[in-house]
Each structure stands twice: as structure tokens, then as C-alpha cells.
């Protein structure tokens, strides 16, 4: 068995995106419908309400949940098999018409969503295990699509019993979707539905995380690293404090080395080494009364004088113009009372065991700065 912590960090959900990477406008549309119509994804007129093709409705449902913008719960009628959806408070904060950035015009919002997508929280595990593995456990690699499939398969096999493992084709489609989502220089596949649209429609290409070299099956993919000029310091500090809050809930400190290098950390998610991460947050930290960078025994740490989760939201909300102070904006408690389904627990459906596995082999490691 692996010591990667994968089993504790992710739910085993593969190929739920219907081959579609998240597209411009999807998350806002889904939020605006879900907040008034919990069963929207199962309605016959869902394509009309959401403004997408019928085969994209399931993808919108999946991505809304994966970004932790909705939570699913069982219908009060036991005979109703379809799950209902409730919008989370963070979705209200970001995507409402009077929210922080409903149309995701600030690239910082895409970095924030990327962080939420990869995050494993106490009440919301990561729903994209293939993404989690590629960013956190194979984080320093250049690889072909086939090699990415193999490393995902290896980690899944090491961490989960055979009946829970996905089919090889499901992992392949996840890798295809990762590439569609982040690669700026995607090759169009004339045999793939929506391939040409995929080249244009994923906003996450703006992050500049994935580069391709070569052509065809031999094409290699490299996750870029280093300074992130379009990543706001406030979003990065939020991610650092959010990560720290999973380790300890009270005021304290965390080493910058951990923030840059640990599995599940901002450094892994954003592909930043300790020097780049430190430089990116120094200005904001230096001007904030509750934050400072301290050094002891040759190790630099981010110190915080308030509970890290509380401080994380203070920093983030300040960057977006104090959304929480706007008239009528609900507290998390008020939002929970308005959407009691957020306190519910969605039943898990059994998955059939995978009939076969892809051949395993290691990815070749390369330095993060290459």
C-alpha cells in the first residue's frame, strides 16, 4: 500500500465530466439555477434552463460539485432516486450577481477555483482523483498522455482495493480532460465531439499551467513552474492559510517549505517552489497586521496571529472589495438555514469493478525548474 494519503484525500470518481472540461459561464449558470431549483440537473427542461446541450448537463452538475460550489443530498421522498443540489456559501460569495466575480473576469478567481478543485477538506474530499494525483503525486514530471494514465493507475492500485478501481478507459478520459482543461496549445481531434470548441472554451487555459511539445501520440506535456504573474498575492495567501487550517485551527505558523512542497499544498497546486512562493506573498504579508514571515534555525515560516481559516477569508474578501460587508449578504449560518440540504449527506452509488487495468510504469522525473 502507498503512504501517499490518497485514500483519505479523494473520492473515487472518474470520468464523470462526460469528456467536457469546464467552460466559460457554466459555473455561474449552474449556481443561478441551483439556488432556486435544487433538482434542476434532473429536469427534462434542464438544457433550456442551463443553456447547454443535453449531454452537457451532467458535466455542469459534476463540475459544480467538484469545485465545491454545490453539495448533493437525498430527496425527502425515499422513492425519489435523483439527488438534489444545494449551492454552498462559497458559491454564493463568488458567483451570485452581487458576488465577488460571477463571470470569472479576474484570473485570480480561476486560480481560486483551481485550488478548491484540488483541495481535500474535512467535509468535502477532492472529487477529481486523477487531477489530484497528477498535480500532487506526479508533480515534477514531463509525460505523454499514456504515461499520465499509467501513473494514475499505479497510485489508484496502490491505495484502493480492486472492486473500487475504475476502468482503464475512465482514466484515459480523465487525462484527456486534464489536457483539454489546461493546455493552451491543444491539438484538435476531428473524431472527438466538441474538440474544436474545447480549444477555445476552457477558461483555465489562462493559468498557463500546461505546455505541449511534439505532435500526435508522442506529444509530451509539461506542467510549467516558477513565478505566476497572474496569480494575485491575496489568492495565494488565502490558499496558504486554508492549507494551514487543515493542520491546526488556531493561530500559529507553518513553514514555507511545507507550503511549497507537501502533498496537497499550494506549491504543488500552483507549481511554485519555495523561493517563488515566498517572493509572491512577501509584499502582502509585510503590510498585514496579523501576518509575518519569521525565521528560526534557518527555516522561514508564515506566522498568523488569528485562526488561519478566519484570516484566509479576511484576506480574500479584502481583495474582492469586502463582499461579505455588502447589504443583505448572508453569513454561512444564514445560508445554511436557507439551504438545509447543505447539512445532508448524499448516498454513494456502488460502482462496478474495472475489468482490466492498464500496464503500469513510472513517469520520468525532472526538476521543477526545467
Amino acid at each position: 500500500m502507498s503512504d501517499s494519503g490518497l485514500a483519505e484525500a479523494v473520492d473515487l470518481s472518474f470520468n464523470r465530466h462526460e469528456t467536457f472540461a469546464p467552460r466559460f459561464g457554466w459555473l455561474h449558470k449552474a449556481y443561478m439555477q441551483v439556488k432556486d431549483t435544487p433538482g434542476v440537473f434532473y429536469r427534462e427542461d434542464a438544457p433550456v434552463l442551463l443553456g447547454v446541450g443535453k449531454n452537457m448537463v451532467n458535466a455542469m452538475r459534476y463540475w459544480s460539485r467538484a469545485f465545491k460550489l454545490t453539495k448533493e443530498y437525498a430527496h425527502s421522498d425515499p422513492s425519489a432516486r435523483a439527488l438534489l443540489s444545494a449551492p454552498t456559501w462559497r458559491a454564493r460569495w463568488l458567483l451570485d450577481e452581487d458576488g465577488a466575480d460571477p463571470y470569472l473576469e479576474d484570473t485570480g478567481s480561476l486560480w481560486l477555483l483551481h485550488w478548491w478543485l484540488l483541495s481535500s477538506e474535512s467535509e468535502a474530499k477532492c472529487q477529481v482523483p486523477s487531477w489530484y494525483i497528477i498535480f500532487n503525486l506526479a508533480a515534477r514530471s514531463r509525460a505523454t498522455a499514456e504515461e499520465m494514465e499509467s501513473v494514475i493507475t499505479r497510485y489508484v492500485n496502490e491505495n484502493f482495493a480492486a472492486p473500487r478501481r475504475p476502468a482503464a478507459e475512465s482514466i484515459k478520459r480523465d487525462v484527456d480532460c486534464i489536457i483539454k482543461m489546461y493546455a493552451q496549445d491543444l491539438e484538435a481531434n476531428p473524431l472527438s465531439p466538441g474538440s474544436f470548441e474545447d480549444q477555445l472554451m476552457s477558461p483555465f487555459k489562462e493559468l498557463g499551467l500546461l505546455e505541449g511539445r511534439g505532435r500526435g501520440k508522442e506529444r509530451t506535456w509539461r506542467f510549467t513552474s516558477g513565478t505566476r504573474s497572474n496569480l494575485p498575492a491575496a489568492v495565494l495567501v488565502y490558499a496558504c492559510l486554508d492549507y494551514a487550517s487543515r493542520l491546526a485551527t488556531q493561530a500559529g505558523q507553518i513553514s514555507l517549505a511545507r507550503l511549497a512542497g507537501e502533498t496537497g499544498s499550494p506549491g504543488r497546486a500552483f507549481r511554485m517552489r519555495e523561493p517563488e512562493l515566498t517572493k509572491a506573498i512577501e509584499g502582502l504579508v509585510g503590510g498585514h497586521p496579523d501576518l509575518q514571515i519569521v525565521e528560526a534555525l534557518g527555516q522561514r515560516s508564515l506566522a498568523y496571529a488569528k485562526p488561519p481559516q478566519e484570516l484566509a477569508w479576511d484576506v480574500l474578501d479584502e481583495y474582492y472589495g469586502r463582499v461579505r460587508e455588502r447589504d443583505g449578504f448572508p453569513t454561512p449560518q444564514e445560508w445554511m438555514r436557507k439551504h438545509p440540504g447543505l447539512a445532508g449527506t448524499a448516498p454513494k452509488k456502488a460502482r462496478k469493478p474495472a475489468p482490466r487495468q492498464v500496464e503500469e510504469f513510472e513517469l520520468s522525473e525532472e526538476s521543477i525548474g526545467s
Side-chain angles (χ1 to χ4, degrees):
M1 293 292 288
S2 170
D3 61 355
S4 65
L6 184 64
E8 292 73 34
V10 306
D11 278 334
L12 279 192
S13 54
F14 295 83
N15 190 29
R16 303 291 179 84
H17 40 72
E18 305 286 342
T19 75
F20 294 104
R23 295 187 174 188
F24 284 103
W26 275 13
L27 299 179
H28 174 68
K29 288 179 181 179
Y31 163 77
M32 294 299 289
Q33 289 295 327
V34 165
K35 71 173 184 173
D36 296 320
T37 312
V40 64
F41 294 119
Y42 290 97
R43 289 175 55 134
E44 290 187 6
D45 60 349
V48 176
L49 294 172
L50 294 168
V52 298
K54 189 172 183 179
N55 57 342
M56 295 181 180
V57 172
N58 285 338
M60 291 181 74
R61 173 194 166 204
Y62 169 76
W63 286 117
S64 295
R65 186 174 75 251
F67 283 112
K68 302 177 180 64
L69 301 172
T70 59
K71 182 176 181 179
E72 295 188 339
Y73 60 99
H75 199 286
S76 57
D77 181 356
S79 65
R81 301 181 62 185
L83 299 178
L84 302 178
S85 298
T88 60
W89 179 85
R90 74 181 67 184
R92 168 64 179 88
W93 177 87
L94 179 64
L95 295 174
D96 204 272
E97 289 293 343
D98 67 344
D101 188 12
Y103 300 104
L104 306 180
E105 297 171 296
D106 188 330
T107 305
S109 302
L110 300 175
W111 284 109
L112 179 64
L113 285 165
H114 173 72
W115 171 250
W116 287 345
L117 180 70
L118 296 180
S119 295
S120 181
E121 304 171 7
S122 58
E123 296 184 358
K125 286 186 176 183
C126 177
Q127 299 293 309
V128 284
S130 293
W131 278 249
Y132 187 92
I133 291 169
I134 289 299
F135 276 92
N136 286 294
L137 305 178
R140 304 297 184 259
S141 299
R142 181 200 304 274
T144 63
E146 185 177 350
E147 288 170 334
M148 284 193 273
E149 294 165 27
S150 294
V151 79
I152 293 169
T153 300
R154 177 169 64 82
Y155 274 105
V156 169
N157 290 347
E158 289 176 352
N159 285 273
F160 298 97
R164 302 186 63 195
R165 296 172 188 164
E169 184 63 23
S170 293
I171 293 177
K172 181 181 185 302
R173 289 176 179 171
D174 272 2
V175 169
D176 289 343
C177 193
I178 291 171
I179 293 170
K180 288 178 182 178
M181 183 170 175
Y182 295 105
Q184 293 181 318
D185 49 354
L186 187 66
E187 287 184 306
N189 178 1
L191 301 180
S192 174
S195 178
F196 292 99
E197 290 86 349
D198 284 325
Q199 293 187 77
L200 305 173
M201 296 301 290
S202 173
F204 293 90
K205 297 176 185 294
E206 294 180 21
L207 304 186
L209 280 167
L210 189 59
E211 293 179 342
R213 296 184 181 180
R215 300 186 66 83
K217 291 185 178 180
E218 299 304 315
R219 192 172 210 199
T220 59
W221 299 99
R222 183 178 73 89
F223 286 92
T224 62
S225 61
T227 302
R228 300 296 183 191
S229 60
N230 62 355
L231 170 58
V235 174
L236 179 55
V237 169
Y238 165 85
C240 290
L241 292 168
D242 185 37
Y243 181 71
S245 73
R246 298 171 206 165
L247 308 175
T249 59
Q250 299 305 311
Q253 61 184 46
I254 183 171
S255 74
L256 294 170
R258 295 183 70 183
L259 290 172
E262 281 190 344
T263 299
S265 68
R268 291 295 184 102
F270 300 149
R271 286 298 189 281
M272 300 177 74
R273 296 173 298 186
E274 183 179 345
E276 290 91 12
L277 187 148
T278 303
K279 184 176 180 180
I281 67 174
E282 279 179 327
L284 189 152
V285 170
H288 198 288
D290 296 313
L291 293 169
Q292 62 177 330
I293 293 176
V294 299
E295 186 168 351
L297 302 176
Q299 176 176 273
R300 305 184 78 188
S301 299
L302 175 65
Y304 35 93
K306 293 168 64 176
Q309 189 61 223
E310 175 187 339
L311 189 53
W313 276 101
D314 287 347
V315 170
L316 190 65
D317 200 51
E318 173 71 23
Y319 172 76
Y320 281 97
R322 301 181 183 273
V323 177
R324 296 177 300 176
E325 297 179 12
R326 297 174 185 172
D327 290 343
F329 191 86
T331 65
Q333 294 75 23
E334 290 169 339
W335 191 250
M336 179 77 77
R337 288 194 291 272
K338 184 175 181 180
H339 298 278
L342 291 171
T345 302
K348 295 183 178 180
K349 298 180 180 180
R351 292 179 61 85
K352 296 180 180 180
R356 53 193 175 87
Q357 302 168 14
V358 298
E359 181 182 355
E360 299 177 13
F361 55 93
E362 294 280 353
L363 288 178
S364 59
E365 296 290 326
E366 65 175 22
S367 68
I368 188 170
S370 63

